[in-house]
Amino acid sequence: MEPIENLAREWLRLDQDEATTTVIRHLLEENNRVELEKRLRTRLTFGTAGLRARMGAGFSRINALTVIQASQGLAAYLLRVDKDTSVKGVVIGHDARHNSERYAKLTATAFVTKGIKVWWYEDLVHTPMVPFGVTELRAAAGVMITASHNPARDNGYKVYWSNGCQITPPHDKEIAVSIRNNLEPLSWDPSLVDQDNLLVEGSIDFVKAAYFNSIRRLPGEIRSEAHPEKLAFVYTPLHGVGESFMREACLQEGFSGMSVVKEQAMPDPNFPTVKFPNPEERGALDLAIASANEHKIDLIIANDPDADRLAAAERVNGKWHQFTGDQVGVLLAAYVMEENSRLSGSSRLKLAILSTAVSTSMVRKMAEREGFHHQETLTGFKWLGSLALQLREDGYQVAYGFEEALGYMFTEVAYDKDAVAAGIVFLKAILYWRSKEGLTPWQKLQQLYQRYGYFENANTYFTSLDPTVTNRVFDNIRSLGNPHLTSLGSWRVKGWRDMTTGYDSTTSDHRAHLPIVEGNQMITCDLDNGVHFTVRCSGTEPKIKVYIEGQGENELDASSRAEAVLRLLDQEWFSPYGLQRA
């Protein structure tokens, strides 16, 4: 193993950022080998989500050097696989996080230095603007500098392919190899995008105009007699970049009743009013609820800081109910199906609805009952977007796809999740249900449960900081039966799918039909008590995520079934390894 001192000297040779060179130099002078090992021994891994990590000095962190290296490697790979890359160009955007603009400019410099055109967004954008821009401009790729809903200390580097989807294998591994072959920085000048450079074209104005035109094509029609201006709701961007995009989209569609949480309206990379800038986290909507109470408004819509995730809450019988990602997913699916069913003759689309393996199975049941195509993918919008494109080739209109982690894709806008597009469709749905059926979102959800059955989840996660412990947990699960576990407590296992090994007990050849991703720990199980669950490793956080859904005759029955399975999994699968439930 190479001495850590050699890695430190290599860092100091390559890095020209005084802030990060100072950190490594001091650690070297202090002979702080433990911290040097943490920062330098393992290189930041480039995966299908690109890069995401804590900012700071070292090869294992996000910083100017690792951003330049990633950009040079991506540029070299693009030039190798697409001879027209230089002309097609690359779309580059960034959010309001610490260092995001600087990292984006360094990214642009790396592409320009390689002779590749840059479509530059001159202002803050929400993440969906990059994949939208890639397809609109027919670019070779796109890069968005963001860490989404991660803590303030983090940042990231998200890559989109020429089809407007997040990259899928084998591109990730081949880009990683290309990065390792292009580690020597060619330029540290971030000012290239501010100069008159023939390879840099500011593009935010005309791409934004095209984006809001695409918003007009989203499912649903707004009739003036429904009075969209009277639909009042509180909105929070959680200190992110979503407010200007959401406001313009709402005003365009006639939804002028938006009240913004003033403490969270402006972009702030410190996210000062929330513990975590993730609308899924407990307490994230407290200020929105306080604002709604003050203004006597019964509906809340929230985005995460890069505005690709949508959360919603409604006051029900005097108490606030925050809809789960699955519940919003079901409501949006219902509206899309209803809108298509209202079309007649040739106008009716050959509709397909997509969801991921960890999302509610209620949508599958809805699609089957109503005669629409439903298909499941692996976790992540790289798979949802790619499958949507494949199905389009087969003649399907994939109007909608979703994942339970508050992600909703409308392909009229982008082949990725988009909270602004989803927010507009959600408001259209609420307006229709209110004016035509006299129902609120909560009441509509109860109507859907009565028609299709009750589905309740007990989703959670276990923090696992040590990858070896995580692997031991999954190894133990697999050791409980051969070829798989046959019972869990008193319940019989009806189906078992292991996406790490590619085994599926429900197929004729026992091979999983979903793509197998190397190193992707993911096991799905169906029990004879009406419970379906998936256990998987997070791709961006040190967590083992557990998704449990129970189906029952009523809400309590479905919830009790899911909770019972969670207690048993906690006791038998996770507690023996010292893992604590969130």
Side-chain angles (χ1 to χ4, degrees), residues 64 67-72 74-75 86 89-94 99-122 142-145 157 186-195 197-203:
V67 165
I68 290 171
Q69 292 173 330
S71 301
Q72 292 180 167
L74 175 59
S86 296
V90 173
V91 178
I92 299 176
H94 65 88
N99 296 312
S100 281
E101 182 179 9
R102 180 167 175 253
Y103 293 163
K105 287 183 175 181
L106 289 170
T107 299
T109 294
F111 284 103
V112 169
T113 302
K114 292 277 192 178
I116 298 173
K117 180 182 179 67
V118 167
W119 300 98
W120 175 251
Y121 287 160
E122 306 97 302
V143 176
M144 177 69 186
I145 304 297
Y157 186 100
L186 300 179
S187 176
W188 282 83
D189 182 7
S191 67
L192 282 180
V193 297
D194 300 318
Q195 302 169 5
N197 192 305
L198 293 176
L199 287 177
V200 179
E201 183 169 349
S203 53

Side-chain angles (χ1 to χ4, degrees), residues 235-288:
Y235 170 76
T236 175
L238 288 183
H239 301 293
V241 298
E243 192 272 345
S244 64
F245 289 91
M246 190 66 180
R247 181 177 295 281
E248 186 166 346
C250 284
L251 291 176
Q252 172 182 281
E253 302 300 315
F255 295 111
S256 56
M258 183 172 85
S259 175
V260 181
V261 179
K262 60 181 184 297
E263 299 92 337
Q264 299 172 333
M266 299 302 294
D268 187 330
N270 294 315
F271 312 117
T273 66
V274 292
K275 187 175 181 181
F276 297 104
N278 181 352
E280 286 183 294
E281 295 287 346
R282 195 175 291 114
L285 299 189
D286 285 354
L287 282 178

Side-chain angles (χ1 to χ4, degrees), residues 357 376 495-499 503-505 512 514 522-525:
E376 184 181 84
W496 184 273
R497 183 176 64 198
D498 188 335
M499 291 310 304
Y503 175 83
D504 190 337
S505 69
L514 295 179
M522 180 174 171
I523 292 173
T524 297
C525 176

Side-chain angles (χ1 to χ4, degrees), residues 150-425:
N150 277 38
R153 68 186 187 185
D154 293 354
N155 215 323
Y157 186 100
K158 196 169 189 178
V159 179
Y160 292 88
W161 201 242
S162 58
N163 59 5
C165 295
Q166 295 177 44
I167 56 171
T168 55
H171 293 309
D172 56 334
K173 287 183 173 56
E174 294 179 5
I175 293 170
V177 171
S178 185
I179 291 171
R180 289 195 295 272
N181 293 332
N182 290 272
L183 298 178
E184 196 76 33
L186 300 179
S187 176
W188 282 83
D189 182 7
S191 67
L192 282 180
V193 297
D194 300 318
Q195 302 169 5
D196 289 331
N197 192 305
L198 293 176
L199 287 177
V200 179
E201 183 169 349
S203 53
I204 191 169
D205 288 341
F206 58 86
V207 175
K208 277 180 71 173
Y211 174 82
F212 287 111
N213 278 335
S214 74
I215 292 290
R216 297 181 190 276
R217 299 193 296 270
L218 287 166
E221 181 181 350
I222 299 174
R223 295 174 175 84
S224 58
E225 63 267 24
H227 297 292
E229 74 281 357
K230 293 184 179 180
L231 180 55
F233 62 98
V234 166
Y235 170 76
T236 175
L238 288 183
H239 301 293
V241 298
E243 192 272 345
S244 64
F245 289 91
M246 190 66 180
R247 181 177 295 281
E248 186 166 346
C250 284
L251 291 176
Q252 172 182 281
E253 302 300 315
F255 295 111
S256 56
M258 183 172 85
S259 175
V260 181
V261 179
K262 60 181 184 297
E263 299 92 337
Q264 299 172 333
M266 299 302 294
D268 187 330
N270 294 315
F271 312 117
T273 66
V274 292
K275 187 175 181 181
F276 297 104
N278 181 352
E280 286 183 294
E281 295 287 346
R282 195 175 291 114
L285 299 189
D286 285 354
L287 282 178
I289 289 172
S291 178
N293 289 337
E294 178 185 352
H295 294 97
K296 296 181 172 55
I297 294 174
D298 294 333
L299 177 66
I300 292 170
I301 287 178
N303 297 157
D304 63 345
D306 69 326
D308 63 354
R309 285 176 169 82
L310 173 77
E314 179 188 339
R315 195 198 316 267
V316 180
N317 299 324
K319 296 182 179 180
W320 283 97
H321 170 78
Q322 183 171 344
F323 293 99
T324 66
D326 276 336
Q327 289 173 339
V328 173
V330 163
L331 287 167
L332 289 170
Y335 181 66
V336 170
M337 292 181 197
E338 289 168 355
E339 280 295 301
N340 195 57
S341 295
R342 282 190 279 272
L343 298 174
S344 58
S346 61
S347 298
R348 187 167 178 173
L349 303 173
K350 186 180 177 183
L351 189 70
I353 302 287
L354 307 183
S355 60
T356 65
V358 300
S359 303
T360 179
S361 54
M362 182 174 176
V363 169
R364 180 178 67 232
K365 188 171 183 178
M366 292 165 62
E368 290 171 352
R369 176 82 67 88
E370 306 306 328
F372 298 113
H373 181 74
H374 172 269
Q375 205 157 327
E376 184 181 84
T377 74
L378 290 176
T379 308
F381 276 83
K382 56 183 174 286
W383 302 112
L384 284 166
S386 297
L387 180 58
L389 288 168
Q390 292 172 24
L391 288 173
R392 189 178 70 177
E393 295 296 317
D394 295 334
Y396 286 99
Q397 172 63 40
V398 185
Y400 171 64
F402 85 100
E403 183 168 82
E404 60 78 39
L406 308 183
Y408 312 98
M409 173 184 73
F410 289 90
T411 59
E412 286 288 358
V413 178
Y415 287 91
D416 197 24
K417 56 185 178 292
D418 184 347
V420 174
I424 292 300
V425 177

Side-chain angles (χ1 to χ4, degrees), residues 458 460 462 488 491 546 548 559-575 581:
T460 188
F462 295 80
L488 182 68
W491 307 302
V546 182
I548 305 175
S559 179
S560 297
R561 293 175 189 230
E563 291 289 346
V565 172
L566 174 57
R567 286 193 297 271
L568 190 61
L569 293 181
D570 189 348
Q571 178 183 340
E572 295 189 0
W573 286 13
F574 302 110
S575 290
R581 195 196 317 178

